[in-house]
């Protein structure tokens, strides 16, 4: 009944606010099942949370079960777009959408953010691996200005992290090394 739906919607809101991942997963699954027979005015929001949560759990969001009028809602289309960026490992599209999301969506996207950041760093490393190899071969003859770097400002834009210190901390956790000028040193950084 609608009372049970409202209770689970409330539980989902609390779980998102408290970052209680296990409770969130249970409540979203129950709510998703309840929506098969009982509908709510807020169903679109909660179904979108379910779609986003599926990224972190590796589950298929079962989009075929959505009612056609719910499936066409902008919140659902937004969640599907985010989920597709995640599935395709499109870190740039994922990060770009992140900055435009509600706080609830950001918290759900944060569940997979470490994976997306690692993927982005590995992609950067792969892209610059030839430059890195040539630089290591010529290291002794290079001046500090000739070592290949990526400006911190560019990395902040890509990762959508406004605070430079937080950006450096996140990147250091993934193996980044920075120059004294604050740029990421591609020769010394090692992402795995």
């Amino acid at each position: 009944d609608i009372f049970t739906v409202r209770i689970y919607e409330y539980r989902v809101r609390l779980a998102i606010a408290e970052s209680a991942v296990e409770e969130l997963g249970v409540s979203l699954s129950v709510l998703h099942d309840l929506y098969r027979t009982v509908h709510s005015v807020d169903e679109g929001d909660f179904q979108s949370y379910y779609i986003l949560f599926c990224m972190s759990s590796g589950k298929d969001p079962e989009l075929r079960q959505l009612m056609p009028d719910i499936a066409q809602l902008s919140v659902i289309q937004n969640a599907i777009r985010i989920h597709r960026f995640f599935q395709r490992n499109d870190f740039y599209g994922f990060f770009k959408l992140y900055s435009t999301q509600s706080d609830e969506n950001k918290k759900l996207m944060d569940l997979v953010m470490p994976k997306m950041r690692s993927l982005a760093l590995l992609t950067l490393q792969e892209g610059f691996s030839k430059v890195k190899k040539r630089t290591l071969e010529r290291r002794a003859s290079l001046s500090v200005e000739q070592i290949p770097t990526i400006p911190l400002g560019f990395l902040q834009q890509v990762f959508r992290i406004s605070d430079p210190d937080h950006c450096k901390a996140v990147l250091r956790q993934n193996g980044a090394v920075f120059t004294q000028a604050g740029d990421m040193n591609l020769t010394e950084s090692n992402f795995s």
Side-chain angles (χ1 to χ4, degrees), residues 40-158:
S40 154
V41 294
D42 297 322
E43 183 176 349
D45 290 335
F46 289 95
Q47 291 286 30
S48 72
Y49 300 157
Y50 176 78
I51 293 166
L52 294 175
F53 184 78
C54 285
M55 291 184 306
S56 67
S57 65
K59 288 174 53 178
D60 175 20
E62 304 170 17
L63 300 174
R64 294 171 301 285
Q65 295 177 358
L66 293 176
M67 299 288 291
D69 56 328
I70 297 294
Q72 296 306 313
L73 293 174
S74 63
V75 292
I76 297 292
Q77 293 302 309
N78 179 56
I80 290 170
R81 205 168 31 257
I82 293 167
H83 195 274
R84 285 192 182 133
F85 281 134
F86 177 77
Q87 284 181 317
R88 294 181 189 145
N89 292 326
D90 182 347
F91 62 86
Y92 186 76
F94 185 87
F95 296 147
K96 189 173 179 181
L97 278 179
Y98 181 85
S99 61
T100 66
Q101 299 304 304
S102 67
D103 289 342
E104 292 83 4
N105 283 4
K106 284 181 180 178
K107 285 188 176 198
L108 292 166
M109 292 172 77
D110 284 344
L111 297 174
V112 295
M113 191 60 76
K115 178 186 187 253
M116 295 306 284
R117 286 181 176 148
S118 293
L119 174 68
L121 289 168
L122 286 170
T123 302
L124 283 172
Q125 183 179 27
E126 187 177 299
F128 286 101
S129 63
K130 290 179 183 172
V131 171
K132 183 176 180 176
K133 183 179 178 189
R134 280 182 282 164
T135 303
L136 288 173
E137 291 168 356
R138 301 178 333 155
R139 176 187 255 160
S141 65
L142 292 177
S143 68
V144 173
E145 297 82 30
Q146 293 174 307
I147 294 175
T149 61
I150 299 177
L152 182 60
F154 173 76
L155 294 167
Q156 284 179 255
Q157 285 180 329
V158 170

